[in-house]
Amino acid sequence: MSSPDLNQVRIDISSTDSQLLELLSKRRKLSINVAQSKLATTKPVRDTEREQQLLVKLIEQGKALNLDALYVTQVFHSIIEDSVLLQQAYLQNHINPETVAHKVRVAFLGQQGSYSHLAAQKYFARRAEEVIEHGCASFKEIINTVESGRADYALLPIENTSSGGINEVYDILQHTSLHIVGELSVPVEHCLLVATDTEEHKIKTIYSHFQPVAQCSEYLSTLNDIKIEQADSSANALEIVSQLQRDDVAAIGNSEGGRLYGLTPIQTGIANQKQNYSRFIVVARKPIDVAAQIPAKTTFIMSVKQRPGSLVDALLILKQNKINMCKLESRPIPGNPWEEMFYVDVESNVDSDNMRNALKNLGEITTFIKILGCYPSDDIKPTNPTVDS
Ligand SMILES: C=C(O[C@@H]1C=C(C(=O)O)C=C[C@H]1O)C(=O)O
């Protein structure tokens, strides 16, 4: 048998890919039709039972076509995630028409290649056609840029799975007039990046923002005689190392950002936790409404009386109203030694009856309470197909 002609096979592959794209686009249009019907019936966007039935059937059909179950599941998890996010965006635009914009101005920490920059690109990819990027040198500058109207949105990192909550951002949220309107999680894959043909044992100085230093503390403790130099952001560290062009310096950053500065990774996966994610919040001058069909989160801050059990009493109000708390952080209140401000994230829409009732009751027992925002939950957990074996 003569071997297939490579050029011809590639032409056939390209044509098959075009058909796949057309089908994906057709499926997306159908998802929008589904969103339109849910708008009328107020049915939730997510229907995990339907997803499960769909996956089981697709796995079965895939088997008959020689496609393994894991592959089919992965592909359709990604297709369904897109479908859910698309529908959520449709419903959100419907309920907040004033936020629909062709062009948005976004402030974030650092410059091109920073984690915040990558997160901004990811978040706005499905929300605006054009993003005007506004890199800032500090969190204060970011907040100021949006408060003064020079940008429409800001992205702020709020927590990381390795290093925990980002205190500076929590403290800023106590005083800003901005509102949380969104959130997203991005994988953070730290590498050690260099500008020359060098090796790890030759490195004497590492440039990094302080957050990656905390997230990679275990790896850094295995290196001898290393000086850590602080940079304004991860991207700033990459830029410095790229300018220095020395065998004995390196930066901690992501490989995608490193490529922008001509750096190569000599160590990958150096974060303490292999599943290293950062969660970002998106803030704007005006709060948004979250459609009832979408899972919502509400973030509020409160302080309670200095007496036994007052925090427990506040949390019991959430329990009585069947509201799940997914995060609780405490931060000192400047000027009031040993008093704490509590940051609470709950899985609830601020306009739901339960949440209204809880906020009314909390208002009666707390010394201060302020809602920072209600926003769609970014957490689209993939549905598990239960396959009978
Ligand atoms: C499209 C729908 O909305 C969501 C997305 C699904 C999909 O893309 O297949 C399936 C179920 C829902 O979670 C639907 O309800 O049918």
Side-chain angles (χ1 to χ4, degrees), residues 192 203-232 237 240-241 248-252 270:
L192 192 69
I203 305 299
K204 293 279 165 268
T205 308
I206 294 179
Y207 287 86
S208 176
H209 184 244
F210 71 89
Q211 280 296 334
V213 171
Q215 292 160 19
C216 302
S217 58
E218 285 168 20
Y219 166 74
L220 290 172
S221 71
T222 65
L223 304 177
N224 294 325
D225 296 332
I226 291 280
K227 199 168 141 213
I228 307 284
E229 288 283 356
Q230 186 148 329
D232 284 344
I240 296 170
V241 171
D248 58 352
V249 300
I252 301 177
I270 62 172

Side-chain angles (χ1 to χ4, degrees), residues 118-296:
L118 299 176
Q121 284 185 327
K122 183 178 170 198
Y123 185 80
F124 288 100
R126 53 172 79 242
R127 289 177 174 84
E129 270 158 48
E130 198 184 331
V131 178
I132 299 171
E133 295 168 354
H134 206 306
C136 297
S138 66
F139 292 134
K140 279 212 173 78
E141 189 189 326
I142 295 176
I143 293 288
N144 198 263
T145 305
V146 182
E147 279 180 342
S148 64
R150 281 173 290 136
D152 307 304
Y153 296 97
L155 242 93
L156 298 165
I158 186 91
E159 60 175 311
N160 174 272
T161 47
S162 299
S163 56
I166 297 169
N167 291 339
E168 209 185 328
V169 173
Y170 278 110
D171 293 347
I172 276 175
L173 289 176
Q174 268 187 46
H175 305 290
T176 179
S177 60
L178 301 180
H179 303 267
I180 306 176
V181 296
E183 66 163 3
L184 83 157
S185 295
V186 293
V188 173
E189 280 144 14
H190 290 312
C191 308
L192 192 69
L193 297 137
V194 293
T196 63
D197 186 14
T198 185
E199 288 164 61
E200 188 188 67
H201 67 93
K202 293 188 190 155
I203 305 299
K204 293 279 165 268
T205 308
I206 294 179
Y207 287 86
S208 176
H209 184 244
F210 71 89
Q211 280 296 334
V213 171
Q215 292 160 19
C216 302
S217 58
E218 285 168 20
Y219 166 74
L220 290 172
S221 71
T222 65
L223 304 177
N224 294 325
D225 296 332
I226 291 280
K227 199 168 141 213
I228 307 284
E229 288 283 356
Q230 186 148 329
D232 284 344
S233 68
S234 300
N236 177 231
L238 300 174
E239 191 181 30
I240 296 170
V241 171
S242 153
Q243 282 164 357
L244 289 172
Q245 291 289 323
R246 287 172 61 122
D247 283 352
D248 58 352
V249 300
I252 301 177
N254 69 311
S255 56
E256 224 172 295
R259 223 175 298 130
L260 285 173
Y261 294 90
L263 305 185
T264 32
I266 49 168
Q267 279 295 346
T268 55
I270 62 172
N272 298 355
Q273 288 192 32
K274 293 305 152 212
Q275 294 269 356
N276 191 29
Y277 283 88
S278 282
R279 189 166 77 93
F280 289 81
I281 51 170
V282 184
V283 294
R285 282 185 299 285
K286 281 200 178 141
I288 54 155
D289 289 328
V290 180
Q293 299 91 335
I294 298 179

Side-chain angles (χ1 to χ4, degrees), residues 27 34 38 45-47 50-51 54 80 83-84 87:
R27 196 185 195 281
V34 169
K38 284 175 184 165
V45 163
R46 202 87 200 265
D47 181 346
R50 157 81 180 150
E51 288 181 21
L54 199 133
I80 291 170
S83 158
V84 171
Q87 292 182 55

